[in-house]
């Protein structure tokens, strides 16, 4: 086992596989020890999501209800107006969120989109919220522009292992994702990079996905682990449900390999028992999306989440 507190980005597949293979109690014990050395286990960071540009996306990500290639009943909309975005951000802040994440169903933003999104970032930041956006692929000048607008985090997921990736997305390469992540990192913006489990990948793909995050030149500051939301009309609609213990193991291995990163128990909580969510927190997850909607799909509402946190003696991170 690695010395605790040490950040390593030379994780091998064998090491990560061995973590996944540990007896559950040993894996949880190890994850909790690392978690407690780096964080207060009672605290959970709260982010709120808003889809600022919904649907009509040219990409073919098999999980996504916003792709124009499938009919998941999501209506394509234009980029939201600044005022409406700021109103949502104010409500998120009042609801206890510390970060406001704005998502757009784009392959990449155009110049005029960039100006509008930068105004949104400036407005949200002025309210005292941390800002995060996810807009697809970015060039170096675009990352610089976002940085000057005051962007704190950029979300761009690798989604799965390099080997399984081609089964899920054909319109954008793994390397293009890595290039965007490098541009974001070089601009001095915090990186939020995670993936999805439960898409029909095997244990070895979950190993490969964690290795991909943990061997980036620097660990992402934020690592969202999404459980596939099986949306009718997408190719993954009938995917078999993943065993919750496999999801919890993925969280624990993310925590152990990236000790200082905030690991987000991201999409999929609507279909998860409170007990599974509690085990995810014990495994080292310390962030959630709060609010009744993710981008287009339902999420437990604020009241249910606050009741769960209360039962567990957990509190929102300032
Ligand atoms: N269009 C941009 C992009 O993909 O880079 C940003 C928005 S995209 C919706 C953000 C992330 O949401 C995806 O990378 C994926 O990991 C996650 N996501 C989308 N649909 C999902 C689903 N049905 N279940 C779980 N996660 C999902
Ligand atoms: C991430 O990893 N998960 C969030 C956020 N980054 C943008 C999105 C989840 C979307 C779930 C499907 C939907 O609501 O459309
Ligand atoms: Fe488009 Fe992002 Fe959905 Fe892929 S995940 S189809 S890029 S909105």
């Amino acid at each position: 086992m690695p010395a605790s507190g040490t950040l390593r980005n030379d994780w091998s597949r064998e090491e990560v596989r061995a973590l996944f293979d540990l007896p559950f109690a040993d894996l949880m014990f190890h994850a909790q020890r690392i978690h407690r050395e780096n964080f207060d286990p009672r605290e959970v960071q709260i982010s709120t999501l808003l889809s600022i540009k919904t649907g009509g996306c040219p990409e073919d990500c098999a999980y996504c209800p916003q792709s124009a290639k499938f009919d998941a009943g999501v209506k394509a909309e234009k980029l939201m107006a600044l005022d409406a975005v700021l109103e949502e951000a104010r409500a998120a802040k009042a609801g206890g969120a510390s970060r406001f994440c704005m998502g757009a169903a784009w392959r990449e933003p155009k110049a005029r989109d960039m100006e509008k999104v930068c105004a949104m970032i400036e407005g949200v930041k002025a309210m005292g919220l941390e800002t995060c956006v996810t807009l697809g692929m970015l060039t170096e000048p675009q990352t610089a522009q976002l940085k000057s607008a005051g962007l704190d985090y950029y979300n761009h997921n690798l989604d799965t292992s390099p080997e399984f990736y081609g089964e899920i997305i054909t319109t954008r390469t793994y390397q293009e994702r890595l290039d965007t992540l490098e541009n974001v990192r070089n601009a001095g913006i915090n990186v939020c990079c995670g993936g999805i489990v439960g898409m029909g990948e095997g244990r070895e793909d979950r190993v490969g996905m964690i290795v991909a995050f943990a061997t980036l030149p620097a660990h992402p500051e934020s690592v969202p682990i999404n459980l596939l939301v099986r949306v009718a009309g997408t190719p993954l609609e009938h995917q078999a449900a993943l065993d919750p213990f496999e999801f919890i193991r993925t969280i624990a291995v993310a925590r152990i390999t990236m000790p200082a990163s905030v690991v987000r128990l991201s999409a999929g909580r609507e279909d998860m028992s409170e007990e599974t969510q509690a085990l995810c927190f014990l495994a080292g997850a310390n962030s959630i999306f709060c609010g009744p909607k993710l981008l287009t799909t339902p999420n437990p509402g604020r009241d249910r989440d606050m009741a769960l946190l209360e039962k567990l003696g957990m509190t929102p991170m300032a």
Side-chain angles (χ1 to χ4, degrees):
M1 290 296 163
S4 21
T6 321
L7 293 187
R8 291 180 43 203
N9 34 27
D10 60 352
W11 288 96
S12 69
R13 281 225 176 208
E14 291 65 34
E15 285 175 298
V16 173
R17 195 180 300 130
L19 289 172
F20 266 99
D21 287 346
L22 281 173
F24 191 68
D26 293 340
L27 176 61
M28 292 295 275
F29 182 73
H30 189 23
Q32 282 191 45
R33 186 172 56 85
I34 303 249
H35 190 51
R36 284 167 178 267
E37 281 168 7
N38 291 278
F39 294 98
D40 180 339
R42 287 166 300 194
E43 288 194 339
V44 58
Q45 189 273 331
I46 308 243
S47 291
T48 291
L49 268 176
L50 176 68
S51 181
I52 57 169
K53 197 276 163 211
T54 304
C57 183
E59 304 272 52
D60 69 352
C61 313
Y63 49 76
C64 188
Q66 302 202 70
S67 166
K69 314 243 191 247
F70 328 124
D71 184 7
V74 172
K75 202 171 114 244
E77 289 169 13
K78 286 197 298 211
L79 181 61
M80 278 176 74
L82 176 62
D83 286 358
V85 171
L86 296 185
E87 204 170 302
E88 296 282 347
R90 252 186 297 275
K93 189 174 160 81
S98 61
R99 190 176 309 157
F100 193 63
C101 308
M102 296 169 271
W106 287 323
R107 174 175 165 78
E108 69 234 312
K110 298 192 194 69
R112 65 167 193 281
D113 301 325
M114 285 295 291
E115 279 172 34
K116 291 182 184 165
V117 171
C118 285
M120 293 172 189
I121 293 167
E122 282 161 16
V124 172
K125 204 165 166 74
M127 289 178 198
L129 280 163
E130 288 183 317
T131 54
C132 175
V133 295
T134 177
L135 315 170
M137 292 190 286
L138 294 181
T139 62
E140 239 178 66
Q142 286 176 323
T143 53
Q145 200 180 341
L146 292 170
K147 176 71 183 171
S148 341
L151 184 67
D152 297 303
Y153 288 81
Y154 193 79
N155 167 246
H156 198 65
N157 291 341
L158 290 173
D159 278 346
T160 187
S161 68
E163 295 75 23
F164 191 66
Y165 183 86
E167 304 281 315
I168 301 295
I169 300 145
T170 69
T171 50
R172 176 192 308 185
T173 65
Y174 212 75
Q175 188 56 48
E176 282 175 313
R177 289 183 185 254
L178 290 168
D179 293 345
T180 291
L181 290 170
E182 191 182 332
N183 292 339
V184 171
R185 177 60 76 203
N186 290 343
I189 299 167
N190 291 309
V191 172
C192 172
C193 176
I196 311 179
V197 293
M199 299 193 291
E201 77 287 345
R203 163 78 66 90
E204 192 58 26
D205 293 306
R206 293 185 282 276
V207 169
M209 175 181 81
I210 296 285
V211 168
F213 304 148
T215 58
L216 286 169
H219 294 165
E221 280 76 11
S222 166
V223 181
I225 305 292
N226 298 276
L227 177 65
L228 174 71
V229 181
R230 294 166 290 176
V231 183
T234 63
L236 297 183
E237 167 180 5
H238 299 297
Q239 185 58 53
L242 183 75
D243 180 343
F245 287 110
E246 198 57 27
F247 185 80
I248 299 159
R249 281 182 185 272
T250 309
I251 299 260
V253 177
R255 165 52 61 228
I256 293 165
T257 52
M258 295 170 280
S261 302
V262 168
V263 176
R264 182 171 307 116
L265 166 53
S266 194
R269 289 195 303 114
E270 182 71 356
D271 293 332
M272 244 177 240
S273 69
E274 292 197 334
E275 293 86 339
T276 296
Q277 295 182 59
L279 282 170
C280 288
F281 294 134
L282 291 180
N286 57 350
S287 170
I288 54 171
F289 285 121
C290 210
K293 205 158 93 169
L294 293 165
L295 291 171
T296 66
T297 63
N299 194 42
R302 185 172 181 279
D303 292 354
R304 255 164 77 198
D305 280 343
M306 290 306 143
L308 175 60
L309 293 184
E310 168 111 40
K311 273 198 258 186
L312 300 176
M314 297 177 77
T315 49
M317 225 179 256

